[in-house]
Amino acid sequence: MNPPIWKSLATGAALPAAILALVLLMVVPVPALLLDIGFVVNIMISLAVLMVALSAAKPLDFSAFPTVLLLATLFRLSLNVASTRVVLVDGHQGAAAAGHVIEAFGAFLIGGDYVVGLFVFAVLMIINLVVITKGAGRVSEVSARFTLDALPGKQMAIDADLNAGLLSPDEAKARRQEVATEADFYGSMDGASKFVKGDAVAGLLILFVNIIGGLILGVISHDLSLGEAARTYITLAIGDALVAQIPALLLSIAAAAIVTRVSSPFDLSGQIGSQFGQWRAWAPVAAILTLLGLIPAMPQMVVLPAAAFAGGICWLLRQREQAERKAPAPITIVAEPHQIAWEDVCETAPVALELGYALVGLVDERKGAPLMARITAVRRQLSRELGFVLPPVKVTDDLALPGNSYRIRIAGVVVGEDEAWPNELLALAAGDTLEPVAGRACKDPSFGLDALWIAADRQVDAIANGYTVVDPATVIATHLNQLFARSAADLFGLDEAQALIEALKAGYPQLAQGLTPQPYSLATIAALCRSLLNERVPLRDFRALASAMVAVGKPDMAATELTEAVRGRLAGLIVQTIVPAQMPLLAVTLDPDLEALLNQSVRAAPDAVWPIEPELARRIVTAIREAVEPLLLAARSFAVIVSPLCRPAMARLLRAQFADVAVLSFLEIPEGKSVEIIATVGGRTDEAALPEPDSIEKDQ
């Protein structure tokens, strides 16, 4: 076995062994020399903990403090139990029976007078238990409560910064981890403060046990007089209590310093020094002390030197401030104008929202950043609907834009732009309105409805007259939501496909193994997913999609053929996105003669992007628009049903004209699904959709 493994085993076993030793210390008799070593180590540990607590820039820099506090308290209590045993068993032999450390505390700190020792111990207990421990416990409790209450807000702020492009995904992950650790830390400190309080109470009870037990044993078992027993055992008990309470007091101070810290780039001494380093604060101190020193009853020999000391500090701090003002400004190295960095020419954010200067307040954190919250909600909801995580939105200001304008880019292409007024509201006339409301006429950027930008104080009047009123942040977010949904295929790439496969491996490892790398490459899977997203087919049930691809099992199929084969196996999912299960599917079909003509066109040019003759395509689109216009106005969902051969060509043709209309083949209608045909395009009732006979013969 190599040394690193031994080293790791030794490191891992050190802490359990130490805890076991502490437990043994409570039950196994310990010689006085070992007690002396333990008391010195206890003082050393308490001092080290205090120094680390004072040096921490923020509480999380000493995140192990709650556990360290528990172990230090356990160590001290183990020493108390061991020393109690020694004091009661060998205390009649003299002050050195329990070790030289207890003897030194009893002789030096209390002068050998146990009455003085009782008062000194009482004062230490009051300071530790009533002042420091109680205050630290209260601060820990309040900090834990406030930290937990602020946790959702902090997480939303991180999401907002991530959407704005201020944080990278790794930085956002680290920030979320820090927020979670902070909540855990303050929750642990709330409980750890109870250890400090319990330790102080235990020290008081152990003192009483030592005194009462020592008096009883000294008088009954060792034939000492009551006075001799009191001098011997009370002195030992107080020395033992003091040697334990002084480290406990140090740990209480460390706990109070940790929980009262505010995050700062400096340690505690640097933070206090920077905040007390203002000469304007010391000038009144020096003046007031000088006035006190002039009072006859005051000890001038003490007060006036203190006033001079405060005045000297004030003079030194003012001199330093003046010197800093006269210091030359630091030289800033400016890049050569002919040097261009990659960051200047590369745009890595797939989605960008550019705002005019008047709209910057919508992303200002001091004003609540309402637009960032809306964008986060849009991304979360659409990601859930589409089945993959949409990329963050990089929000920037653009001085080239008019003040109230905004522009949306997806994959570097401007897909939408409009205007919004940050101090006004958009009133949508979605139906009949009672009375018009005064405002600036416009079109809703998302749905093209007639709308008005109105003053905020007219909101109640607009709602009462039948308008739907939304704020500018919602207007922009809704527009972004619509463009997100339409451009989902442009946002899906190899990384997103790999993420779906990794998630599939976690739940269905055999299915993932049968999907890739054989028979399908990652690029083929990504292309298929983009093709489905182009036609509004979500990837939520990627397991069903993967099962369909595995069932097809022909990697040499053309991309269009593969897509059609997979769509046939996802028929239920596709139709479900159009109409609920309990409702019939409204359908528009083609006349058999027209459909035969379209099939013939596709067979003649199977690889063509637009195999349909332009004039025929125009007439088909016109006829379908006339047939479905009532459904579009009523916002009812329907589908155009054609033969499997011409479905891809018809889908491309109609997608350019009707972004939300689904085109299905006969094979994509699930068994048992009721279909209601509302129109047939190209029949005798719709002769305008058919080409002229001469043009048909010419095309053939």
Side-chain angles (χ1 to χ4, degrees):
M1 190 173 293
N2 50 18
I5 296 179
W6 282 109
K7 184 177 180 180
S8 62
L9 289 176
T11 304
L15 186 59
I19 295 177
L20 182 60
L22 294 181
V23 176
L24 291 176
L25 193 62
M26 295 182 182
V27 296
V28 176
V30 178
L33 177 60
L34 192 58
L35 271 181
D36 288 341
I37 297 174
F39 285 130
V40 173
V41 171
N42 185 25
I43 296 174
M44 179 184 68
I45 292 175
S46 302
L47 288 172
V49 171
L50 178 60
M51 293 301 106
V52 174
L54 296 179
S55 302
K58 57 181 182 295
L60 289 185
D61 288 345
F62 198 5
S63 58
F65 182 74
T67 305
V68 172
L69 183 62
L70 169 63
L71 296 178
T73 303
L74 182 60
F75 180 45
R76 186 167 54 256
L77 293 176
S78 301
L79 290 175
N80 283 141
V81 174
S83 62
T84 298
R85 182 186 298 107
V86 174
V87 168
L88 295 179
V89 173
D90 301 326
H92 64 282
Q93 298 178 5
H100 295 292
V101 174
I102 293 178
E103 180 185 12
F105 271 80
F108 178 73
L109 294 182
I110 63 178
D113 190 340
Y114 62 85
V115 177
V116 175
L118 286 175
F119 286 113
V120 171
F121 179 78
V123 171
L124 286 177
M125 286 296 299
I126 293 172
I127 294 174
N128 189 12
L129 185 59
V130 178
V131 181
I132 300 177
T133 302
K134 186 176 181 180
R138 179 58 178 167
V139 173
S140 298
E141 179 182 350
V142 174
S143 299
R145 184 184 307 162
F146 284 178
T147 302
L148 292 176
D149 291 343
L151 187 59
K154 291 181 179 179
Q155 292 176 338
M156 291 180 62
I158 294 172
D159 290 339
D161 290 345
L162 180 62
N163 289 329
L166 302 178
L167 294 177
S168 66
D170 292 338
E171 291 172 337
K173 183 178 180 181
R175 286 271 297 274
R176 292 191 188 96
Q177 181 63 37
E178 182 178 357
V179 169
T181 303
E182 184 181 17
D184 293 340
F185 173 78
Y186 281 108
S188 300
M189 282 301 301
D190 186 22
S193 62
K194 306 300 187 294
F195 293 140
V196 180
K197 181 178 180 180
D199 180 33
V201 175
L204 183 62
L205 296 178
I206 291 174
L207 173 65
F208 290 151
V209 169
N210 284 338
I211 292 175
I212 297 173
L215 291 176
I216 294 174
L217 290 174
V219 174
I220 297 177
S221 300
H222 303 295
D223 296 328
L224 298 177
S225 64
L226 184 61
E228 292 176 345
R231 281 194 303 271
T232 301
Y233 285 100
I234 294 179
T235 302
L236 287 174
I238 294 174
D240 179 30
L242 288 176
V243 82
Q245 281 306 307
I246 289 179
L249 181 62
L250 296 177
L251 286 181
S252 299
I253 296 173
I258 281 291
V259 298
T260 56
R261 283 302 310 272
V262 177
S263 296
S264 168
F266 308 103
D267 57 10
L268 186 58
S269 58
Q271 186 177 1
I272 294 176
S274 64
Q275 295 174 3
F276 275 83
Q278 305 291 329
W279 67 267
R280 294 177 182 82
W282 288 96
V285 174
I288 293 173
L289 286 178
T290 302
L291 293 176
L292 289 176
L294 297 178
I295 298 176
M298 286 290 175
Q300 285 84 3
M301 296 303 295
V302 177
V303 178
L304 292 179
F309 180 74
I313 293 177
C314 175
W315 182 81
L316 290 175
L317 292 175
R318 186 172 184 181
Q319 291 296 113
R320 187 179 68 178
E321 181 178 326
Q322 292 176 350
E324 291 176 353
R325 289 179 179 176
K326 295 179 181 179
I331 300 175
T332 303
I333 300 176
V334 182
E336 294 294 332
H338 62 272
Q339 294 180 350
I340 303 176
W342 282 105
E343 294 79 4
D344 299 331
V345 298
C346 293
E347 179 58 66
T348 58
V351 184
L353 174 61
E354 301 167 359
L355 302 176
Y357 65 88
L359 301 178
V360 173
L362 298 177
V363 295
D364 190 351
E365 291 186 0
R366 294 171 297 181
K367 299 180 181 180
L371 180 56
M372 303 310 302
R374 302 289 196 286
I375 292 175
T376 301
V378 164
R379 285 184 59 228
R380 181 180 294 111
Q381 180 63 26
L382 266 182
S383 297
R384 188 179 297 114
E385 292 177 0
L386 296 175
F388 71 97
V389 179
L390 291 171
V393 179
K394 182 178 180 181
V395 182
T396 59
D397 60 332
D398 189 349
L399 296 180
L401 286 174
N404 294 291
S405 298
Y406 66 91
R407 180 185 296 134
I408 300 172
R409 296 178 185 269
I410 294 181
V413 179
V414 177
V415 294
E417 53 186 346
D418 213 293
E419 290 184 337
W421 304 84
N423 298 320
E424 298 182 4
L425 299 173
L426 185 68
L428 300 172
D432 296 333
T433 55
L434 299 178
E435 295 181 4
V437 178
R440 187 184 300 103
C442 65
K443 290 287 185 180
D444 171 50
S446 300
F447 308 104
L449 301 175
D450 292 331
L452 296 170
W453 282 104
I454 62 174
D457 56 3
R458 294 182 176 271
Q459 179 179 4
V460 176
D461 294 338
I463 295 175
N465 285 285
Y467 288 87
T468 300
V469 180
V470 293
D471 60 273
T474 303
V475 172
I476 299 176
T478 305
H479 194 188
L480 179 65
N481 176 64
Q482 184 187 54
L483 298 176
F484 251 141
R486 291 181 179 177
S487 305
D490 298 328
L491 300 173
F492 191 91
L494 296 179
D495 293 326
E496 287 74 18
Q498 184 63 45
L500 289 178
I501 293 172
E502 293 299 329
L504 184 67
K505 287 180 180 178
Y508 305 93
Q510 296 302 319
L511 178 58
Q513 184 177 358
L515 177 66
T516 185
Q518 294 295 333
Y520 301 105
S521 65
L522 184 63
T524 301
I525 297 174
L528 175 62
C529 291
R530 283 195 295 270
S531 178
L532 294 175
L533 290 171
N534 259 329
E535 298 194 46
R536 303 297 181 91
V537 179
L539 308 178
R540 290 194 303 267
D541 193 355
F542 188 69
R543 183 196 64 82
L545 174 59
S547 300
M549 294 185 69
V550 171
V552 172
K554 296 179 180 180
D556 56 342
M557 297 174 65
T560 303
E561 187 180 358
L562 175 62
T563 301
E564 294 305 305
V566 171
R567 284 177 60 94
R569 295 180 176 272
L570 299 177
L573 175 63
I574 294 175
V575 173
Q576 182 178 314
T577 61
I578 303 172
V579 64
Q582 67 274 13
M583 295 180 62
L585 174 63
L586 303 182
V588 175
T589 61
L590 302 182
D591 179 76
D593 293 337
L594 176 59
E595 199 160 50
L597 179 60
L598 294 177
N599 291 337
Q600 185 177 355
S601 300
V602 174
R603 289 192 188 98
D607 298 328
V609 178
W610 301 102
I612 305 175
E613 192 271 333
E615 180 61 21
L616 176 60
R618 184 189 64 79
R619 294 190 177 191
I620 291 174
V621 170
T622 301
I624 291 179
R625 178 181 290 111
E626 293 175 355
V628 303
E629 186 174 3
L631 295 176
L632 294 176
L633 294 176
R636 299 185 64 184
S637 298
F638 63 94
V640 177
I641 300 179
V642 298
S643 68
L645 182 60
C646 66
R647 195 212 68 82
M650 283 293 296
R652 285 192 296 271
L653 173 63
L654 297 183
R655 186 163 61 242
Q657 303 295 328
F658 311 100
D660 299 325
V661 174
V663 180
L664 307 180
S665 73
F666 302 136
L667 301 178
E668 294 172 2
I669 307 300
E671 295 183 5
K673 182 65 178 179
S674 59
V675 178
E676 181 180 335
I677 299 177
I678 57 174
T680 299
V681 175
R684 294 181 179 178
T685 58
D686 192 10
E687 295 180 358
L690 285 173
E692 298 295 335
D694 293 341
S695 64
I696 295 177
E697 294 176 359
K698 186 184 300 183
D699 293 336
Q700 293 176 348

